[in-house]
Amino acid sequence: MTTSSDAVTTALADARAISATGADGRAPWLTTRVALDRPPHAVTRAELLATAHGVYEATVNGAPATESVLNPGWTVYESRLQVQRFDVTEQVRAGGTETELSVLLARGWWNGDFGFEGARANYGDTNAVLAALTITFEDGTVQQIVTDESWTATDSAITFATLYDGQHEDRRLAPGAPRPVQLAEIDRSTLIEQSSPLITRHESRRPEKIWTSPSGRTLVDFGQNLVGWLRFTVTGPKGTEITLRHAEVLEDDELGTRPLRAAKATDRLVLAGDPEGETFEPTLTFHGFRYAEITGWPGELTADDLEAVVVHSDIRRTGWFESGHPGVNQLVENSIWSQRGNFLAVPTDCPQRDERLGWTGDIAAYAATAAYQFDVNDFLHNWLLDVQAEANLPPLHYVPFVVPDVLKLRQGGEDPFAEQAPAEVPTAIWGDAAVWVPEALWNAYGDLDRLRAQYPGMVLHLESVERALSPSGLWDTGFQFGDWLDPDAPPHDAAAAKADQGVVATACLVRSARFAAETARLLGEDADAGRWQDLADRTLSAFTAAYVQADGRILSDCATVYALAIAFDLLEPTLREKSAARLAELVREAGYRVSTGFAGTPFVTWALSETGHIEDAYRLLLEEENPSWLYPVSMGATTIWERWDSMLPDGSINPGEMTSFNHYALGAVADWIYQVVLGIRPAEPGYRRIRIQPTPGPGIDWARGAYDSIVGRIEVSWQTTTAGLRIEATIPEGAEAEIVLPGGPSHRVGGGTHTFG
């Protein structure tokens, strides 16, 4: 059987990886020019296969080979390096009797000094490209142009480019005489067909406001915290230097750059003085920003002069929501924009500071929300294969904190987790991503083949946890992040949560073991199913004996432990009712302000609404005082914040070293909004059967929305009136749905539009 990896390896068999060192660190252009074997009109197809250690941009006869950017993206390079395929037939035909193939090469994720705390983590020192252009003519003959030692190198005008620090260009610099390239090494065994969506430009935004700051600097507000870069065309004298600095927020009416930590997020352009104008678009970097500071602009800067380009992986929007509450509508939009900005190559924690890593805990919390808002089937499946690949690299054998785990390659600084988390120690929630993300994808898409491919990652995680359990059967040993970013934790100690870490971890293990057992049954792995069900049962018994009292109280008595116990179905009915009452009591005692972190936040509204405390759930959602979901909205947020109070009420930035304004994890409540407030739920995996079950509550009197499921578009709208509740639902043709009315009967319906009330 020929695999896709075999296919790309075969297609690139005659190619050699090549590299070049640019003068003074400049990004090199690698080029070849070859005569066509037949006239250009005889070309029936031309396909470029390429990949790199670094990031590359290919042109064929001066035209871009693709609209995508930052190829080949980021994977576990040690074992999975994606190869891209581009149809360049028109570019080859347009080139006459010769074809010129050029590749611009830069550092990207390969050796861009990644990581925080001065990690300077790199996969290698040398950037290289491997490519083959295959041209098919109408007579059936084939000509191939491959990277090899015959290529030459010149220098681009790009003097510096990294993802954290930005891109610098000096247009005055000449490319220099062509020089030989060097042969390099790219391990062919790592090559795989492109499996994740490409990274592309999606839209552009003009400035909403341009003004002068108190210090005399020109500031620009694009009205939306986004991810990408600035693009403009400008005319000015030779030697004019334009500097662009980026930030998500303002502080003291100046650019708020402290949250960037060591990331410079600065682009520079030195003009050549071309009277026809010079276009600048720094496509070898990206920034997270709403505001920009522009210095050196020749003349007066206007809103027509520049635009912000929005960049992320090419995921398709699938979910929409609108209601009678503007704050909730903005919260949902903030979740959408945070997913867009952080689904760039991998699901990252944040897109702006010296981090931008695939933190596993963030996506474990957010995966269900992500799968409603966008089609993430390919994107997250590819990442889950990376989770397996990374965890299987020695010496790990457990799910690391970040995937790809570039932090293991750190060359400097101190590892902030070295003492707390030695090798062979898994962590709850973060490690549970190997189970919870497949669960979210299974519920959304119902793809058994992909679940089968993801199952080994579940096994690896659970086996690593089994080794970490204490003799009591509890997961109460080793390092844990716990209920990370509990709002009551000190700014400089995000792990200092109210919830007992053993309670959190042990509860998470029960959930993960149960879904692994369900997966094994679906796959026909009966022995495994028994093994994981036994682990779940034993762990639940240990949890109940150690942590749950007869009156329903749970050790550490805070909202998170009750939310997990209820949402994960860890309590028998009598205890569940008592624990739910205690959870509602705690929520009310907190004045409906949020008191949960990463562990509890995705589940606290679920735990309330599923136990009859719907009013408390709505009041918790709609609270606007800090900490709450709507507090950032009241402060003008356009994305989800990392901390409940990333910006303090006085407009100052939270003093914690770790403060992002684009961090999707705490936006996981959107899943509850979609499924409970709007009422669109999968009754079976992949929406093979659909449940429409809106649950209105105080503060929202109407809602409408849609979800483009794999069986078709599902639409729901509802409104409360003096006569009661009116629901309208549109079900895809060929699908079956159950419409559940609050406190009333349920109705089974087929495709079409159905109205009740």
Side-chain angles (χ1 to χ4, degrees):
M1 176 180 176
T2 301
T3 68
S4 59
S5 298
D6 294 333
V8 296
T9 302
T10 300
L12 291 166
D14 294 331
R16 306 284 299 276
I18 58 173
S19 180
T21 302
D24 300 319
R26 290 159 66 180
W29 276 105
L30 312 180
T31 302
T32 190
R33 190 169 185 85
V34 178
L36 290 180
D37 291 346
R38 302 286 188 274
H41 65 77
V43 174
T44 59
R45 179 168 177 79
E47 183 178 58
L48 176 66
L49 270 70
T51 191
H53 285 169
V55 293
Y56 72 92
E57 295 183 357
T59 63
V60 179
N61 294 320
T66 174
E67 292 294 321
S68 60
V69 295
L70 296 169
N71 287 307
W74 193 15
T75 47
V76 178
Y77 292 141
E78 298 97 328
S79 57
R80 302 183 72 246
L81 178 61
Q82 296 184 113
V83 176
Q84 293 71 55
R85 291 178 181 265
F86 303 122
D87 183 347
V88 292
T89 306
E90 294 305 315
Q91 294 94 318
V92 171
R93 286 175 178 164
T97 59
E98 288 189 321
T99 287
E100 181 182 82
L101 175 58
S102 296
V103 178
L104 177 65
L105 191 58
R107 295 165 67 180
W109 291 276
W110 179 261
N111 57 348
D113 292 336
F114 246 54
F116 51 96
E117 301 281 353
R120 299 195 309 278
N122 296 310
Y123 290 92
D125 298 325
T126 302
N127 297 116
V129 64
L130 181 70
L133 172 58
T134 302
I135 305 168
T136 304
F137 299 99
E138 58 189 9
D139 62 2
T141 59
V142 174
Q143 180 180 4
Q144 192 174 58
I145 302 170
V146 298
T147 48
D148 60 24
E149 60 270 32
S150 69
W151 287 47
T152 59
T154 55
D155 295 317
S156 73
I158 300 168
T159 59
F160 177 85
T162 67
L163 300 182
Y164 286 171
D165 291 343
Q167 182 168 322
H168 305 168
E169 293 188 36
D170 188 342
R171 299 286 175 81
R172 300 170 301 177
L173 299 175
R179 61 186 184 275
V181 297
Q182 292 94 45
L183 294 179
E185 290 295 328
I186 290 182
D187 184 352
R188 306 303 176 101
S189 70
T190 66
L191 301 182
I192 60 170
E193 196 85 47
Q194 178 77 29
S195 56
S196 187
L198 296 170
I199 303 165
T200 57
R201 305 170 183 86
H202 290 266
E203 64 178 89
S204 62
R205 300 176 66 94
R206 293 289 181 181
E208 294 190 359
K209 181 182 178 182
I210 301 174
W211 75 102
T212 302
S213 75
S215 67
R217 299 179 181 274
T218 299
L219 298 181
V220 182
D221 179 7
F222 290 93
Q224 174 64 53
N225 196 13
L226 57 87
V227 175
W229 49 67
L230 298 182
R231 178 172 62 196
F232 57 83
T233 299
V234 65
T235 302
K238 182 178 182 178
T240 300
E241 183 172 325
I242 301 170
T243 302
L244 318 171
R245 300 172 65 222
H246 306 77
E248 297 181 301
V249 294
L250 302 175
E251 188 172 34
D252 299 325
D253 297 320
E254 302 285 352
L255 207 65
T257 58
R258 182 173 61 82
L260 300 178
R261 298 192 304 213
K264 294 183 175 63
T266 300
D267 300 327
R268 288 193 176 91
L269 173 65
V270 180
L271 299 181
D274 187 341
E276 300 298 321
E278 301 174 49
T279 298
F280 180 67
E281 185 177 10
T283 55
L284 301 177
T285 188
F286 67 87
H287 312 293
F289 67 102
R290 171 176 173 171
Y291 301 94
E293 177 191 283
I294 316 292
T295 58
W297 189 268
E300 181 182 358
L301 180 68
T302 71
D304 293 330
D305 288 327
L306 75 167
E307 57 189 339
V309 180
V310 177
V311 177
H312 56 82
S313 290
D314 194 13
I315 51 176
R316 177 177 58 89
R317 178 86 178 262
T318 54
W320 292 266
F321 174 88
E322 186 182 9
S323 75
H325 195 292
V328 174
N329 298 342
Q330 185 62 53
L331 173 65
V332 168
E333 280 302 300
N334 291 0
S335 177
I336 294 290
W337 276 94
S338 279
Q339 183 174 353
R340 295 179 74 183
N342 282 294
F343 274 45
L344 194 159
V346 300
T348 57
D349 59 329
C350 61
Q352 75 297 94
R353 68 187 181 216
D354 58 346
E355 202 158 343
R356 315 186 198 187
L357 304 174
W359 281 94
T360 50
D362 297 60
I363 192 59
Y366 191 74
T369 297
Y372 181 91
Q373 296 176 164
F374 290 88
D375 181 352
V376 295
N377 198 4
D378 291 343
F379 181 88
L380 287 178
H381 177 68
N382 179 71
W383 181 78
L384 286 166
L385 297 181
D386 272 335
V387 170
Q388 292 182 38
E390 194 71 79
N392 278 311
L393 290 174
L396 285 187
H397 303 297
Y398 70 96
V399 177
F401 302 155
V402 297
V403 174
D405 187 15
V406 70
L407 296 180
K408 68 178 181 291
L409 304 173
R410 64 186 309 122
Q411 301 175 50
E414 294 184 2
D415 183 349
F417 304 110
E419 292 185 6
Q420 302 98 320
E424 298 296 332
V425 177
T427 52
I429 304 173
W430 278 251
D432 288 308
V435 185
W436 296 5
V437 177
E439 182 180 16
L441 298 184
W442 171 244
N443 288 333
Y445 308 114
D447 190 326
L448 189 61
D449 288 337
R450 289 200 163 175
L451 189 65
R452 180 178 289 105
Q454 295 154 6
Y455 178 65
M458 304 183 204
V459 173
L460 187 149
H461 170 60
L462 290 175
E463 288 183 340
S464 72
V465 176
E466 283 184 310
R467 295 192 295 269
L469 297 180
S470 67
S472 64
L474 299 171
W475 192 3
D476 58 358
T477 61
F479 170 78
Q480 295 287 350
F481 289 99
D483 197 23
W484 186 254
L485 286 170
D486 178 327
D488 295 319
H492 299 286
D493 189 2
K498 299 182 292 293
D500 180 85
Q501 292 187 347
V503 175
V504 170
T506 307
C508 291
L509 175 57
V510 177
R511 175 188 173 183
S512 290
R514 282 175 173 170
F515 185 69
E518 179 185 345
T519 299
R521 284 191 289 271
L522 289 166
L523 300 178
E525 300 289 347
D526 294 339
D528 273 13
R531 175 187 180 185
W532 303 131
Q533 188 61 55
D534 180 63
L535 174 62
D537 293 344
R538 284 187 285 109
T539 305
L540 177 57
S541 295
F543 177 92
T544 304
Y547 299 139
V548 183
Q549 299 177 15
D551 61 357
R553 294 288 179 104
I554 298 175
L555 182 66
S556 63
D557 191 36
C558 61
T560 286
V561 297
Y562 294 109
L564 297 182
I566 294 168
F568 296 172
D569 194 20
L570 307 184
L571 305 169
E572 60 185 45
T574 301
L575 289 176
R576 177 183 173 89
E577 184 178 347
K578 293 176 180 178
S579 291
R582 178 55 180 158
L583 171 61
E585 183 180 24
L586 288 170
V587 169
R588 290 192 291 269
E589 287 176 355
Y592 295 100
R593 298 186 187 187
V594 170
S595 61
T596 53
F598 268 41
T601 294
F603 308 109
V604 63
T605 48
W606 277 105
L608 290 166
S609 65
E610 295 300 294
T611 55
H613 299 279
I614 189 66
E615 181 174 341
D616 294 308
Y618 266 79
R619 292 191 62 178
L620 183 63
L621 173 69
L622 300 183
E623 176 59 42
E624 295 185 0
E625 294 297 317
N626 178 40
S628 68
W629 283 291
L630 296 189
Y631 165 72
V633 171
S634 74
M635 294 293 289
T638 61
T639 42
I640 302 296
W641 292 354
E642 178 176 23
R643 296 177 181 269
W644 297 108
D645 59 350
S646 285
M647 179 170 284
L648 304 181
D650 64 3
S652 62
I653 297 171
N654 188 292
E657 181 72 13
M658 185 186 69
T659 302
S660 160
F661 292 87
N662 194 349
H663 229 88
Y664 52 62
L666 297 180
V669 70
D671 174 56
W672 182 82
I673 294 172
Y674 302 138
Q675 294 203 55
V676 177
V677 178
L678 180 59
I680 297 178
R681 309 187 188 193
E684 290 183 7
Y687 292 82
R688 291 190 295 268
R689 285 197 310 109
I690 302 161
R691 175 173 294 161
I692 305 299
Q693 189 177 354
T695 310
I700 298 179
D701 56 13
W702 65 266
R704 60 173 173 253
Y707 175 60
D708 284 340
S709 75
I710 61 171
V711 299
R713 170 165 282 220
I714 306 164
E715 296 180 354
V716 172
S717 66
W718 61 261
Q719 184 175 10
T720 56
T721 67
T722 54
L725 178 68
R726 184 180 188 276
I727 300 174
E728 183 176 286
T730 300
I731 307 302
E733 290 300 327
E736 179 184 317
E738 180 184 20
I739 298 180
V740 182
L741 305 180
S746 63
H747 303 267
R748 293 192 179 277
V749 300
T753 299
H754 310 275
T755 303
F756 300 89

